[in-house]
Structures are given as C-alpha cells and as structure tokens.
Amino acid sequence: EKCGKRASIPLLGTIMTPFTLKLGPVAALNILIRLAVAGSATSMFLVLSSWCRRPYAFMGGLLFGFSPYLMTQSENHLNLAFLVLLPPIAWCVGEIVVVRRRSPWALGVALGVFTALQIYVSLEMIALIGLVMGLGSVGYLITIRSHIGEHFKYWARGVGAATVTLVVLAGYFLFNFLFGAGHIQGPVLPVSALQSYHADFLGPIIPTANLLVTSERLSY
C-alpha cells in the first residue's frame, strides 16, 4: 500500500493491468516489488557480462540488486526501487562515449527508448543517473581532450538519435510535467524536512542492516 502511493508510475501500472484486474492491486504490487529486486540484479548482471567475466558480473549483479539502497526503497517506494532500466542506460552511454564500436544511430535509439521508459517509471532516477553519467562523461572527455575532435561526429550522431527518440516517446509527458497545469513550482520539500530523508554516503560501500545478504559482524 505504501509503495509509490504518491508517485505516478504509468509504465508499471500499464504492464500490471491484467494482474491488477484479476488479482487486485496488493497482489500486483507484491509481484512488482519482487520483479524490481530480481530484475535489477539480472539487468546489472547482463550489462556487466559485456564488460567483464561472468563471475565478476554475477557478484556485481548481486551487490546491485540486493544493495542497502534497493532493499530500503523496496519497502516504501516502488518507483525508486525499480532499477531494471538503469544498467542498460549506463551501458548505452558507455558504448557511445567510451567504446564507440557499434552504430551510433542504433545506440542512440536504444538510449532514447530506455530513457523514455525510465521516465514513465521515475523521473527522479533519470535525474540522478543523468547527473552521475554526465559527471563521468565530462571527466572522461577531460582525459581525452586532445582527441575530442576525432570522435565528435560519432558522439553527435548518438546523442542526436537519442534526443529525437526521447522527444517522440516522452516529449509530451515531459512538457506537461514541466509546464502543464498543476506542474511543480518551488521546492518539493521544505529545507527543515530534508534531514528526515538523508542518505548514508557509505551505504553503497559498507554493508548496513538493510543489506539482505550480510551478517551481524558486517552490518551496522
């Protein structure tokens, strides 16, 4: 009942419509929570498998899918716990910016599709991964600044294809979110309330009590 009760998750709601009508919203939510955890772990495993050996990819999938963050969010916020689409987005960005071996048009379209789908799950997660991937890309470009001109056309094609695809699939939704009737104005939460929503900076590195696979000695 609590998961995503104040969030709009049109993609997941649409997918689960048959289950919701047949079994009810509680059953549909329980299915989605389990899919969020297992799907996020599997998605990260598949992405890491293209970058490293299977054992390391398997470990990375477990750490991602059963991390303290995901275990915590799955208790209350389905929209923030469904991270199935984030690894493919990161993969597309990595392939476009760093690897540059596949068609930039195909990668751009794939990036636009995954990003649009994620927008229909959680705009907040798009903002977070956009910030992280953006900072990482800028750092990488600084290290290869003398070769930027050689790859500029490749990047432009990939980014252009992604932008066009995103506008087609989610442009209307984004426009209404930013400028439509009832759009958000000002801070979502007062500054005095932010302390209640603080995060543990070392959570991704040091196991906490919210880590599903841990022991009493490792968690705190």
Side-chain angles (χ1 to χ4, degrees), residues 135-158:
L135 292 175
S137 297
V138 169
Y140 173 75
L141 292 177
I142 291 175
T143 62
I144 63 165
R145 55 187 178 276
S146 59
H147 302 284
I148 288 180
E150 303 174 15
H151 311 300
F152 181 79
K153 288 185 178 180
Y154 184 96
W155 294 328
R157 291 169 181 168

Side-chain angles (χ1 to χ4, degrees), residues 8-219:
S8 174
I9 318 175
L11 176 64
L12 302 185
T14 301
I15 293 174
M16 295 302 295
T17 296
F19 296 92
T20 304
L21 295 176
K22 185 69 174 179
L23 304 175
V26 175
L29 176 60
N30 288 332
I31 293 172
L32 281 174
I33 291 174
R34 285 154 180 79
L35 285 178
V37 175
S40 298
T42 303
S43 178
M44 179 58 77
F45 165 72
L46 294 175
V47 168
L48 292 178
S49 294
S50 67
W51 289 340
C52 61
R53 296 180 179 179
R54 287 292 180 90
Y56 303 115
F58 182 76
M59 293 173 59
L62 283 180
L63 291 175
F64 181 77
F66 299 91
S67 63
Y69 165 83
L70 205 148
M71 291 296 99
T72 302
Q73 297 298 344
S74 63
E75 296 177 359
N76 298 288
H77 304 106
L78 175 62
N79 60 317
L80 301 181
F82 195 87
L83 308 181
V84 177
L85 296 165
L86 296 193
I89 292 175
W91 181 84
C92 289
V93 173
E95 290 291 318
I96 293 174
V97 177
V98 181
V99 181
R100 302 184 301 274
R101 293 178 182 175
R102 294 175 171 83
S103 168
W105 303 110
L107 289 172
V109 171
L111 176 59
V113 170
F114 288 131
T115 303
L117 292 176
Q118 180 59 49
I119 285 174
Y120 291 117
V121 175
S122 172
L123 276 169
E124 184 174 349
M125 296 310 300
I126 280 292
L128 290 175
I129 193 173
L131 177 62
V132 173
M133 298 302 295
L135 292 175
S137 297
V138 169
Y140 173 75
L141 292 177
I142 291 175
T143 62
I144 63 165
R145 55 187 178 276
S146 59
H147 302 284
I148 288 180
E150 303 174 15
H151 311 300
F152 181 79
K153 288 185 178 180
Y154 184 96
W155 294 328
R157 291 169 181 168
V159 173
T163 302
V164 171
T165 305
L166 180 61
V167 170
V168 171
L169 296 178
Y172 182 76
F173 180 87
L174 289 174
F175 178 83
N176 279 279
F177 178 82
L178 296 173
F179 307 107
H183 68 277
I184 297 176
Q185 294 181 335
V188 179
L189 293 171
V191 177
S192 59
L194 293 180
Q195 180 59 27
S196 302
Y197 298 94
H198 69 279
D200 185 356
F201 182 74
L202 296 178
I205 303 172
I206 301 177
T208 70
N210 290 319
L211 188 63
L212 188 61
V213 183
T214 185
S215 66
E216 293 183 2
R217 292 185 178 181
L218 288 177
S219 62

